[in-house]
Amino acid sequence: MNEISRRQFLDFMGRAAALSLLPACALPSLRGQNTNLPFTPLKPTGADDLILASGLEYKVVTSWGDILNPKQERVGFNNDFLAFIPLDPRSSNEGLLWMNNEYHDPYYTRGWRPGQEYTAADIVKDRKEVGGTIVHLRKREGEWTVVVNSKYNRRLDGFTPIPLISEQPIFGTHRAIGTMGGCAGGVTPWGTILSCEENYHNFVGEVEFLNGKRTHVPAKPYLSWAKGPPLPPEHYGWVVEVDPRTGRAKKLTALGRFAHESATCIQAADGRTVVYSGDDSDQEHLYKFISAKPGSLEKGELFVADIPAGRWRSLAREKDLRLKAFFKNQTELLVRTREAAKMIGATPLNRPEDIDIDPLTRNVFVSCTAGSKGGADIYGSLLKIEEKDADPLSLEFTASTFLAGGPENGFANPDNLLFDPKGNLWMCTDISESKLNTPAFASFANNGLFYIPFSGAHAGKPLQVASAPRGAELTGACFSPDFKTLFLSVQHPGERVHKRPQLESHWPGGGDSVPKPSVVAIRGPTLESLLR
Ligand code: FEO
Ligand code: CA
Ligand code: CA
Ligand code: CA
């Protein structure tokens, strides 16, 4: 991206980005006041539809299986993180939509039935369903539509060769094959996408290193690619940076390897980029990366949160004798990030998932979905990190619980977070398929999207604005550059019931159709009023 378009992009990406550079003392007065709510919050519902609060309506923009281009590439399965990158920064009518395609559901993608054996040919199909999709969107007569056959439309999938940006080769090479498990992600200040490889172990298993010996622990059969060519787990669990205009990708190993979820960027005063990321596994950790220089995440320093001490602990091997003694080089340390983090006092958290930053205070909010060994925390909570002096480069912080899930607050299992430019928070919930509508979760009904005002009569209260179809979670919320459209992923509708004709969901087609993960565009006077 040249300097002019980069500057225009920064202007466009937001009021939010600009606000984040204001002095902290100037910030609170800018907070939007929502004393009079422009909508009636939804009551929980088990309906098999995407239900929206008053003054909002949706249109499906694209669904799994839609044809993208003359090569007959198709939109991948289970869209999660979304990012809208404007093609022309001066216009809000055209852009590229990135979606992570986290995983596939073989029942829908290739007619698998419980108990059925997998073949090598099945694995080839599965690898084409995951990764990411770039879709060129344009507004026509006021509606977002896909520009079919656009040169920008493309897929990255389980076969795409992607360089590993690392000092040393990883499992003998600087090239990985494919990406998968992309969950929550991020956008860099220079307009590239950060896709995070979360549950890679479901596809390629994991490696354990005991007494210098490497052992491969295979994936469970359901999503395993073990019947295809061998793929080393060390090549997955990274943050993948993608240029949406070219599809060029690279795996940024300096940000560490774990069940990466979210790579939320903020630009520091000196131009360097700070990236926050969670490791979505029970009792794993929260990380922050500080780039070595502006405009690149290829090099930098990785830190992990020691929450009781309020310190970011460095994972630079050269800075710690324990790390230096244990790992032979920084690349090996990064491959085994979780082990290194534990050695230096990382705090276990209850499944840290998505992260977003309050544009008015620069406080960092982290969804801790649920967890705790023994299952004590079933509803999850939002963790607030206040960096010292509101400086993303600070190595000291204060942590507190901002909001706890549970029947008293009307939500459970927070996952995807999005601050709007007014400094109010949008939160998607992800009650897992095994818990949805069970007795402890019955009061929440289906998963939802909540609006949490930070000021006014409803400050701190989650107000439901959307309810997902049965079995689905809502994810990937992002705004168009003019903030008049909220793009949203409806992921895994109908995931719990693999038995026709009693499918639990027929969204979005209705009737007897199979459910399809889809991206929707939400618009309406309520959105305009909240963001005016
Ligand atoms: Fe893919 Fe942690 O959700
Ligand atoms: Ca997630
Ligand atoms: Ca989740
Ligand atoms: Ca999910």
Side-chain angles (χ1 to χ4, degrees):
M1 199 177 270
N2 65 36
E3 192 44 40
I4 300 233
S5 65
R6 181 174 173 275
R7 198 171 63 241
Q8 288 169 332
F9 176 80
L10 290 175
D11 287 349
F12 212 56
M13 281 311 275
R15 287 181 267 171
L19 286 169
S20 70
L21 299 173
L22 288 172
C25 58
L27 300 173
S29 61
L30 296 171
R31 185 83 69 185
Q33 296 287 328
N34 289 310
T35 302
N36 297 314
L37 269 186
F39 68 97
T40 307
L42 294 176
K43 294 209 164 37
T45 167
D48 180 34
D49 202 351
L50 178 62
I51 311 270
L52 301 178
S54 53
L56 295 172
E57 57 178 25
Y58 79 89
K59 287 263 163 41
V60 173
V61 175
T62 189
S63 296
W64 164 61
D66 287 355
I67 290 181
L68 289 166
N69 55 31
K71 289 196 284 181
Q72 301 293 298
E73 287 183 304
R74 292 170 180 270
V75 173
F77 203 76
N78 268 352
N79 42 282
D80 196 301
F81 172 74
L82 303 175
F84 183 93
I85 306 295
L87 267 176
D88 175 351
R90 289 158 302 199
S91 160
S92 242
N93 294 325
E94 188 167 16
L96 303 179
L97 185 78
W98 166 270
M99 72 174 80
N100 278 348
N101 297 114
E102 187 177 9
Y103 61 102
H104 59 288
D105 181 333
Y107 179 84
Y108 294 119
T109 55
R110 56 175 164 77
W112 170 85
R113 297 293 177 266
Q116 193 174 315
E117 283 285 314
Y118 281 19
T119 66
D122 291 335
I123 307 305
V124 171
K125 287 191 188 131
D126 293 350
R127 288 173 66 180
K128 289 186 176 163
E129 295 286 1
V130 299
T133 304
I134 299 166
V135 192
H136 183 179
L137 299 185
R138 190 180 285 149
K139 251 193 215 159
R140 282 207 185 96
E141 294 171 5
E143 301 294 346
W144 288 104
T145 52
V146 173
V147 182
V148 180
N149 294 336
S150 162
K151 66 175 184 180
Y152 295 111
N153 292 352
R154 70 178 81 235
R155 287 293 320 282
L156 279 76
D157 63 20
F159 290 99
T160 309
I162 304 178
L164 290 154
I165 308 298
S166 60
E167 288 173 10
Q168 304 293 326
I170 296 177
F171 204 67
T173 175
H174 282 284
R175 196 176 85 138
I177 301 298
T179 182
M180 81 300 262
C183 200
V187 179
T188 63
W190 48 95
T192 55
I193 307 299
L194 299 176
S195 171
C196 297
E197 297 177 332
E198 186 199 18
N199 290 320
Y200 60 92
H201 62 278
N202 287 337
F203 306 88
V204 296
E206 185 53 291
V207 281
E208 287 179 359
F209 300 89
L210 279 177
N211 303 321
K213 186 169 175 292
R214 175 189 184 273
T215 307
H216 181 220
V217 183
K220 292 191 181 131
Y222 182 57
L223 295 179
S224 172
W225 292 351
K227 290 203 169 156
L231 296 168
E234 292 95 323
H235 287 183
Y236 310 94
W238 304 109
V239 173
V240 186
E241 183 175 1
V242 183
D243 182 337
R245 291 166 184 261
T246 62
R248 271 199 290 274
K250 53 189 175 184
K251 298 203 181 191
L252 301 167
T253 68
L255 281 80
R257 175 178 169 273
F258 42 87
H260 259 289
E261 174 141 8
S262 182
T264 302
C265 297
I266 182 166
Q267 199 164 313
D270 66 2
R272 288 184 288 164
T273 300
V274 174
V275 188
Y276 295 90
S277 197
D279 181 349
D280 181 9
S281 197
D282 193 15
Q283 305 308 291
E284 290 299 336
H285 315 300
L286 175 68
Y287 295 84
K288 134 167 151 177
F289 173 80
I290 302 178
S291 71
K293 60 178 189 182
S296 169
L297 301 177
E298 292 194 3
K299 291 196 170 131
E301 191 167 353
L302 185 64
F303 299 84
V304 68
D306 175 344
I307 287 179
R311 303 282 304 187
W312 291 104
R313 305 281 181 202
S314 174
L315 285 156
R317 176 180 171 273
E318 296 299 321
K319 288 188 177 175
D320 187 288
L321 290 176
R322 295 163 294 182
L323 299 177
K324 207 166 174 176
F326 195 83
F327 298 104
K328 65 177 183 289
N329 54 49
Q330 184 68 17
T331 302
E332 186 193 47
L333 182 154
L334 292 165
V335 167
R336 301 165 66 180
T337 303
R338 285 176 171 172
E339 289 173 77
K342 285 171 184 60
M343 276 180 206
I344 58 168
T347 303
L349 292 169
N350 297 345
R351 294 189 49 206
E353 293 205 79
D354 199 19
I355 298 168
D356 208 2
I357 300 171
D358 181 338
L360 307 190
T361 61
R362 297 178 216 146
N363 290 335
V364 179
F365 288 74
V366 183
S367 280
C368 292
T369 286
S372 165
K373 297 271 185 230
D377 176 18
I378 63 170
Y379 297 126
S381 61
L382 295 180
L383 174 71
K384 180 165 81 170
I385 302 282
E386 296 173 71
E387 299 278 25
K388 191 178 176 199
D389 301 326
D391 180 2
L393 297 176
S394 173
L395 299 185
E396 293 175 45
F397 63 86
T398 308
S400 57
T401 297
F402 172 69
L403 196 59
E408 66 283 7
N409 283 330
F411 76 98
N413 308 125
D415 190 345
N416 284 232
L417 301 178
L418 174 68
F419 270 99
D420 65 32
K422 297 271 188 189
N424 300 305
L425 184 62
W426 301 68
M427 170 186 74
C428 300
T429 57
D430 181 15
I431 303 168
S432 69
E433 56 173 46
S434 61
K435 304 263 171 57
L436 267 173
N437 299 308
T438 57
F441 292 84
S443 68
F444 311 110
N446 292 355
N447 278 310
L449 169 68
F450 295 78
Y451 172 76
I452 308 176
F454 272 38
S455 64
H458 305 279
K461 290 202 182 99
L463 308 167
Q464 189 164 358
V465 290
S467 174
R470 287 189 196 135
E473 70 171 291
L474 304 176
T475 76
C478 76
F479 292 111
S480 61
D482 62 3
F483 299 100
K484 290 191 172 169
T485 301
L486 177 68
F487 293 105
L488 188 66
S489 277
V490 179
Q491 200 200 39
H492 57 70
E495 183 172 62
R496 286 181 304 174
V497 182
H498 283 152
K499 208 165 140 198
R500 294 197 83 160
Q502 293 93 14
L503 295 176
E504 64 172 340
S505 178
H506 300 283
W507 187 88
D512 191 34
S513 62
V514 295
K516 285 186 178 179
S518 301
V519 176
V520 300
I522 295 174
R523 301 172 70 195
T526 290
L527 193 62
E528 299 202 11
S529 170
L530 291 174
L531 296 182
R532 189 176 296 131

mmCIF file of all heavy atoms in Angstrom, residues 415-440:
data_model
loop_
_atom_site.group_PDB
_atom_site.id
_atom_site.type_symbol
_atom_site.label_atom_id
_atom_site.label_comp_id
_atom_site.label_asym_id
_atom_site.label_seq_id
_atom_site.Cartn_x
_atom_site.Cartn_y
_atom_site.Cartn_z
ATOM 1 N N ASP A 415 -17.750 -14.104 23.627
ATOM 2 C CA ASP A 415 -16.702 -14.473 22.674
ATOM 3 C C ASP A 415 -16.306 -13.243 21.864
ATOM 4 O O ASP A 415 -15.461 -12.466 22.300
ATOM 5 C CB ASP A 415 -17.180 -15.646 21.807
ATOM 6 C CG ASP A 415 -16.071 -16.249 20.964
ATOM 7 O OD1 ASP A 415 -15.016 -15.598 20.826
ATOM 8 O OD2 ASP A 415 -16.240 -17.350 20.423
ATOM 9 N N ASN A 416 -16.947 -12.991 20.741
ATOM 10 C CA ASN A 416 -16.473 -11.901 19.875
ATOM 11 C C ASN A 416 -16.888 -10.530 20.416
ATOM 12 O O ASN A 416 -18.031 -10.331 20.830
ATOM 13 C CB ASN A 416 -17.017 -12.080 18.463
ATOM 14 C CG ASN A 416 -16.270 -13.175 17.712
ATOM 15 O OD1 ASN A 416 -15.790 -12.975 16.619
ATOM 16 N ND2 ASN A 416 -16.149 -14.342 18.327
ATOM 17 N N LEU A 417 -15.922 -9.600 20.403
ATOM 18 C CA LEU A 417 -16.134 -8.243 20.930
ATOM 19 C C LEU A 417 -15.865 -7.214 19.846
ATOM 20 O O LEU A 417 -14.978 -7.405 19.006
ATOM 21 C CB LEU A 417 -15.176 -7.977 22.093
ATOM 22 C CG LEU A 417 -15.273 -8.914 23.303
ATOM 23 C CD1 LEU A 417 -14.207 -8.531 24.333
ATOM 24 C CD2 LEU A 417 -16.659 -8.881 23.928
ATOM 25 N N LEU A 418 -16.620 -6.119 19.896
ATOM 26 C CA LEU A 418 -16.397 -5.027 18.944
ATOM 27 C C LEU A 418 -16.783 -3.707 19.603
ATOM 28 O O LEU A 418 -17.944 -3.519 19.980
ATOM 29 C CB LEU A 418 -17.277 -5.245 17.694
ATOM 30 C CG LEU A 418 -17.272 -4.108 16.672
ATOM 31 C CD1 LEU A 418 -15.912 -3.975 15.992
ATOM 32 C CD2 LEU A 418 -18.365 -4.329 15.624
ATOM 33 N N PHE A 419 -15.814 -2.823 19.756
ATOM 34 C CA PHE A 419 -16.156 -1.471 20.193
ATOM 35 C C PHE A 419 -16.602 -0.661 18.988
ATOM 36 O O PHE A 419 -16.004 -0.754 17.908
ATOM 37 C CB PHE A 419 -14.944 -0.780 20.839
ATOM 38 C CG PHE A 419 -14.872 -1.019 22.320
ATOM 39 C CD1 PHE A 419 -14.041 -1.998 22.825
ATOM 40 C CD2 PHE A 419 -15.655 -0.281 23.192
ATOM 41 C CE1 PHE A 419 -13.985 -2.234 24.187
ATOM 42 C CE2 PHE A 419 -15.611 -0.512 24.559
ATOM 43 C CZ PHE A 419 -14.770 -1.493 25.062
ATOM 44 N N ASP A 420 -17.642 0.149 19.181
ATOM 45 C CA ASP A 420 -17.999 1.086 18.127
ATOM 46 C C ASP A 420 -17.271 2.411 18.395
ATOM 47 O O ASP A 420 -16.664 2.590 19.457
ATOM 48 C CB ASP A 420 -19.531 1.217 17.999
ATOM 49 C CG ASP A 420 -20.191 1.833 19.222
ATOM 50 O OD1 ASP A 420 -19.563 2.689 19.887
ATOM 51 O OD2 ASP A 420 -21.347 1.478 19.512
ATOM 52 N N PRO A 421 -17.301 3.328 17.434
ATOM 53 C CA PRO A 421 -16.504 4.553 17.610
ATOM 54 C C PRO A 421 -17.011 5.451 18.730
ATOM 55 O O PRO A 421 -16.300 6.363 19.163
ATOM 56 C CB PRO A 421 -16.598 5.236 16.246
ATOM 57 C CG PRO A 421 -17.730 4.600 15.550
ATOM 58 C CD PRO A 421 -17.905 3.235 16.112
ATOM 59 N N LYS A 422 -18.223 5.193 19.222
ATOM 60 C CA LYS A 422 -18.741 5.957 20.361
ATOM 61 C C LYS A 422 -18.230 5.402 21.685
ATOM 62 O O LYS A 422 -18.563 5.932 22.754
ATOM 63 C CB LYS A 422 -20.271 5.900 20.377
ATOM 64 C CG LYS A 422 -20.915 6.538 19.181
ATOM 65 C CD LYS A 422 -21.132 7.981 19.469
ATOM 66 C CE LYS A 422 -21.949 8.627 18.371
ATOM 67 N NZ LYS A 422 -21.978 10.069 18.559
ATOM 68 N N GLY A 423 -17.508 4.286 21.638
ATOM 69 C CA GLY A 423 -16.989 3.708 22.873
ATOM 70 C C GLY A 423 -17.989 2.811 23.580
ATOM 71 O O GLY A 423 -17.912 2.624 24.794
ATOM 72 N N ASN A 424 -18.925 2.249 22.834
ATOM 73 C CA ASN A 424 -19.837 1.252 23.399
ATOM 74 C C ASN A 424 -19.498 -0.108 22.804
ATOM 75 O O ASN A 424 -18.974 -0.198 21.692
ATOM 76 C CB ASN A 424 -21.289 1.652 23.120
ATOM 77 C CG ASN A 424 -21.601 3.005 23.753
ATOM 78 O OD1 ASN A 424 -21.406 3.192 24.955
ATOM 79 N ND2 ASN A 424 -22.037 3.963 22.943
ATOM 80 N N LEU A 425 -19.802 -1.152 23.566
ATOM 81 C CA LEU A 425 -19.290 -2.480 23.233
ATOM 82 C C LEU A 425 -20.388 -3.381 22.672
ATOM 83 O O LEU A 425 -21.507 -3.409 23.199
ATOM 84 C CB LEU A 425 -18.696 -3.109 24.510
ATOM 85 C CG LEU A 425 -18.017 -4.460 24.382
ATOM 86 C CD1 LEU A 425 -16.811 -4.397 23.450
ATOM 87 C CD2 LEU A 425 -17.558 -4.956 25.773
ATOM 88 N N TRP A 426 -20.048 -4.122 21.612
ATOM 89 C CA TRP A 426 -20.926 -5.136 21.034
ATOM 90 C C TRP A 426 -20.289 -6.490 21.343
ATOM 91 O O TRP A 426 -19.088 -6.665 21.126
ATOM 92 C CB TRP A 426 -21.084 -4.918 19.532
ATOM 93 C CG TRP A 426 -21.657 -3.561 19.184
ATOM 94 C CD1 TRP A 426 -21.056 -2.349 19.357
ATOM 95 C CD2 TRP A 426 -22.951 -3.293 18.634
ATOM 96 N NE1 TRP A 426 -21.892 -1.337 18.939
ATOM 97 C CE2 TRP A 426 -23.057 -1.887 18.478
ATOM 98 C CE3 TRP A 426 -24.020 -4.091 18.228
ATOM 99 C CZ2 TRP A 426 -24.190 -1.285 17.963
ATOM 100 C CZ3 TRP A 426 -25.155 -3.488 17.697
ATOM 101 C CH2 TRP A 426 -25.240 -2.102 17.572
ATOM 102 N N MET A 427 -21.094 -7.421 21.846
ATOM 103 C CA MET A 427 -20.546 -8.699 22.334
ATOM 104 C C MET A 427 -21.389 -9.862 21.803
ATOM 105 O O MET A 427 -22.609 -9.885 21.976
ATOM 106 C CB MET A 427 -20.581 -8.703 23.874
ATOM 107 C CG MET A 427 -20.277 -10.028 24.510
ATOM 108 S SD MET A 427 -20.504 -9.962 26.310
ATOM 109 C CE MET A 427 -22.301 -9.941 26.420
ATOM 110 N N CYS A 428 -20.724 -10.806 21.178
ATOM 111 C CA CYS A 428 -21.400 -12.037 20.743
ATOM 112 C C CYS A 428 -21.160 -13.119 21.788
ATOM 113 O O CYS A 428 -20.076 -13.206 22.363
ATOM 114 C CB CYS A 428 -20.832 -12.541 19.424
ATOM 115 S SG CYS A 428 -20.967 -11.394 18.057
ATOM 116 N N THR A 429 -22.169 -13.957 22.009
ATOM 117 C CA THR A 429 -21.996 -15.061 22.947
ATOM 118 C C THR A 429 -21.823 -16.367 22.191
ATOM 119 O O THR A 429 -22.281 -16.523 21.056
ATOM 120 C CB THR A 429 -23.194 -15.181 23.899
ATOM 121 O OG1 THR A 429 -24.392 -15.345 23.130
ATOM 122 C CG2 THR A 429 -23.291 -13.955 24.784
ATOM 123 N N ASP A 430 -21.124 -17.295 22.835
ATOM 124 C CA ASP A 430 -20.883 -18.606 22.227
ATOM 125 C C ASP A 430 -21.090 -19.699 23.278
ATOM 126 O O ASP A 430 -20.137 -20.291 23.778
ATOM 127 C CB ASP A 430 -19.459 -18.660 21.652
ATOM 128 C CG ASP A 430 -19.177 -20.000 20.977
ATOM 129 O OD1 ASP A 430 -20.129 -20.747 20.704
ATOM 130 O OD2 ASP A 430 -17.986 -20.286 20.724
ATOM 131 N N ILE A 431 -22.369 -19.916 23.606
ATOM 132 C CA ILE A 431 -22.695 -21.070 24.454
ATOM 133 C C ILE A 431 -22.494 -22.289 23.564
ATOM 134 O O ILE A 431 -23.038 -22.358 22.458
ATOM 135 C CB ILE A 431 -24.157 -20.992 24.946
ATOM 136 C CG1 ILE A 431 -24.387 -19.676 25.694
ATOM 137 C CG2 ILE A 431 -24.501 -22.201 25.805
ATOM 138 C CD1 ILE A 431 -25.860 -19.362 25.964
ATOM 139 N N SER A 432 -21.677 -23.233 24.020
ATOM 140 C CA SER A 432 -21.292 -24.308 23.114
ATOM 141 C C SER A 432 -22.486 -25.209 22.809
ATOM 142 O O SER A 432 -23.466 -25.255 23.552
ATOM 143 C CB SER A 432 -20.145 -25.122 23.711
ATOM 144 O OG SER A 432 -20.628 -25.840 24.817
ATOM 145 N N GLU A 433 -22.358 -25.929 21.699
ATOM 146 C CA GLU A 433 -23.490 -26.752 21.231
ATOM 147 C C GLU A 433 -23.927 -27.758 22.289
ATOM 148 O O GLU A 433 -25.109 -28.080 22.385
ATOM 149 C CB GLU A 433 -23.097 -27.477 19.956
ATOM 150 C CG GLU A 433 -21.837 -28.306 20.155
ATOM 151 C CD GLU A 433 -21.497 -29.178 18.968
ATOM 152 O OE1 GLU A 433 -21.550 -28.664 17.867
ATOM 153 O OE2 GLU A 433 -21.198 -30.359 19.185
ATOM 154 N N SER A 434 -22.980 -28.226 23.113
ATOM 155 C CA SER A 434 -23.351 -29.234 24.110
ATOM 156 C C SER A 434 -24.089 -28.624 25.304
ATOM 157 O O SER A 434 -24.733 -29.331 26.071
ATOM 158 C CB SER A 434 -22.100 -29.964 24.594
ATOM 159 O OG SER A 434 -21.231 -29.035 25.200
ATOM 160 N N LYS A 435 -24.009 -27.290 25.438
ATOM 161 C CA LYS A 435 -24.638 -26.636 26.599
ATOM 162 C C LYS A 435 -25.934 -25.906 26.239
ATOM 163 O O LYS A 435 -26.775 -25.674 27.099
ATOM 164 C CB LYS A 435 -23.669 -25.587 27.183
ATOM 165 C CG LYS A 435 -22.303 -26.138 27.563
ATOM 166 C CD LYS A 435 -22.253 -26.460 29.031
ATOM 167 C CE LYS A 435 -21.016 -27.210 29.449
ATOM 168 N NZ LYS A 435 -19.776 -26.519 29.115
ATOM 169 N N LEU A 436 -26.073 -25.515 24.955
ATOM 170 C CA LEU A 436 -27.233 -24.704 24.556
ATOM 171 C C LEU A 436 -28.521 -25.368 25.007
ATOM 172 O O LEU A 436 -28.747 -26.557 24.734
ATOM 173 C CB LEU A 436 -27.264 -24.574 23.028
ATOM 174 C CG LEU A 436 -26.587 -23.378 22.383
ATOM 175 C CD1 LEU A 436 -26.595 -23.533 20.865
ATOM 176 C CD2 LEU A 436 -27.253 -22.061 22.772
ATOM 177 N N ASN A 437 -29.345 -24.597 25.687
ATOM 178 C CA ASN A 437 -30.682 -25.049 26.099
ATOM 179 C C ASN A 437 -30.686 -26.190 27.112
ATOM 180 O O ASN A 437 -31.710 -26.805 27.347
ATOM 181 C CB ASN A 437 -31.542 -25.410 24.871
ATOM 182 C CG ASN A 437 -31.725 -24.191 23.978
ATOM 183 O OD1 ASN A 437 -32.128 -23.133 24.444
ATOM 184 N ND2 ASN A 437 -31.384 -24.310 22.717
ATOM 185 N N THR A 438 -29.524 -26.494 27.719
ATOM 186 C CA THR A 438 -29.516 -27.417 28.855
ATOM 187 C C THR A 438 -29.949 -26.620 30.091
ATOM 188 O O THR A 438 -29.952 -25.377 30.056
ATOM 189 C CB THR A 438 -28.123 -28.042 29.065
ATOM 190 O OG1 THR A 438 -27.177 -26.975 29.255
ATOM 191 C CG2 THR A 438 -27.700 -28.892 27.873
ATOM 192 N N PRO A 439 -30.342 -27.292 31.215
ATOM 193 C CA PRO A 439 -30.975 -26.543 32.312
ATOM 194 C C PRO A 439 -30.214 -25.304 32.774
ATOM 195 O O PRO A 439 -30.821 -24.231 32.929
ATOM 196 C CB PRO A 439 -31.078 -27.593 33.425
ATOM 197 C CG PRO A 439 -31.235 -28.885 32.670
ATOM 198 C CD PRO A 439 -30.376 -28.745 31.435
ATOM 199 N N ALA A 440 -28.890 -25.382 32.959
ATOM 200 C CA ALA A 440 -28.153 -24.219 33.476
ATOM 201 C C ALA A 440 -28.086 -23.081 32.466
ATOM 202 O O ALA A 440 -27.740 -21.951 32.819
ATOM 203 C CB ALA A 440 -26.741 -24.638 33.878
#
